[in-house]
Every structure is written in structure tokens, then in C-alpha cells.
Amino acid sequence: MVFKEGTFKGELPEHFDGPHPAWLETAVADALSLAGDVDASDITVTCKGTRIVLSGSVTSPEEADRAVAVAAAIKDVTEVDNRLSWL
């Protein structure tokens, strides 16, 4: 999995009105890594607001669907954009 560094350090910005994207990405990536039926080694998790984008490759369409379901189950995730491919 690919992790990005946080975009700020210390206190939250004054205009902050939701979960920080890095926290949301980490929560989704952690959940994917713990899901026994998803090989998350080639999945990249990125966040745009509260929308999660999954890209990379998995082994089957069913595994892609499962990855989307795992990501969607995370608190504060409002949408999952599935850009996963399979062989």
C-alpha cells in the first residue's frame, strides 16, 4: 500500500470541518490490510474530502468489490471511487 505524509503538523487548521484525509486514508488502508479476503499489497488509497479512491490491481472482480465494501464501511467515508483493475 502507498501512504502519503500528513499535509500539516500540530493543531488542526481553523477551516477544518471533517476528518483529515491522511487519517481517513490510514483507516481505510489498515482495514484493507486486515481483511482476510483482500490482498491489499497493490492497492493505493487516496482521499478527496470524504471520498476514497482505490487504485491499483487485485486478482478478481469479487476482490475489487470486497475492497470497496471494506472502504465504504469506514466511519466518515461517504463515497468510494473504484479504479481497481484485475487480470
Side-chain angles (χ1 to χ4, degrees):
M1 278 192 227
V2 177
F3 294 96
K4 298 186 304 185
E5 288 189 36
T7 56
F8 65 88
K9 306 279 189 224
E11 297 296 318
L12 296 175
E14 291 179 19
H15 65 284
F16 187 75
D17 61 350
H20 189 275
W23 298 333
L24 212 46
E25 287 173 0
T26 300
V28 171
D30 287 347
L32 288 171
S33 70
L34 294 173
D37 51 353
V38 176
D39 178 4
S41 59
D42 290 324
I43 297 176
T44 301
V45 178
T46 54
C47 185
K48 309 254 187 211
T50 57
R51 182 182 68 153
I52 294 294
V53 179
L54 299 178
S55 56
S57 61
V58 292
T59 58
S60 68
E62 295 79 21
E63 189 174 12
D65 291 342
R66 177 67 180 132
V68 169
V70 168
I74 300 300
K75 181 180 182 287
D76 294 322
V77 171
T78 58
E79 182 182 354
V80 180
D81 185 358
N82 181 1
R83 298 183 186 177
L84 296 168
S85 61
W86 51 88
L87 299 174

